[in-house]
Amino acid sequence: MSTQKVQVPDSWLPRLAALKAAGAIGLVAGLWITPLGIAAAIGVTLYFIGAVVSHLRAKDYELTPAAVLAVVAAAAAAAALILRALS
C-alpha cells in the first residue's frame, strides 16, 4: 500500500479519507457556491501537495497520480478565481 511506503500511520487513514471526500463534495458544491468551491480546490491542492512531499521524503518516486491530481486541483482553483473575478 502506498501509505505504508511513506510511513503514514494506519490511524491517519480515516482522517485522510474524510479530508479527500470533503474536498470532492466541496468541489461539486462549488459549482453552485463559488466560495466553497474555491476553498475546496485550495484544500484539495494542499492535500495532494502534501502527498507529493511525503512520497519525495520517502524516496518513493511513483507519485504521478498525486502530482496530476494536485495540478488539476490547482487549475480548478485558478479557473474558479478567474470566473469569479469576471462575473
Side-chain angles (χ1 to χ4, degrees):
M1 180 182 276
S2 182
T3 55
Q4 292 171 345
K5 288 182 184 179
V6 295
Q7 300 175 353
V8 173
D10 288 340
S11 63
W12 288 19
L13 295 181
R15 292 181 194 104
L16 292 172
L19 286 172
K20 199 183 320 183
I25 292 167
L27 288 172
V28 172
L31 296 172
W32 295 276
I33 307 167
T34 303
L36 179 61
I38 292 170
I42 291 168
V44 170
T45 301
L46 292 173
Y47 178 94
F48 284 105
I49 288 172
V52 169
V53 169
S54 296
H55 282 270
L56 291 175
R57 288 182 67 203
K59 296 183 179 25
D60 176 21
Y61 301 111
E62 297 176 19
L63 52 92
T64 302
V68 168
L69 290 173
V71 169
V72 169
L81 288 171
I82 290 168
L83 290 173
R84 177 101 166 132
L86 295 176
S87 61

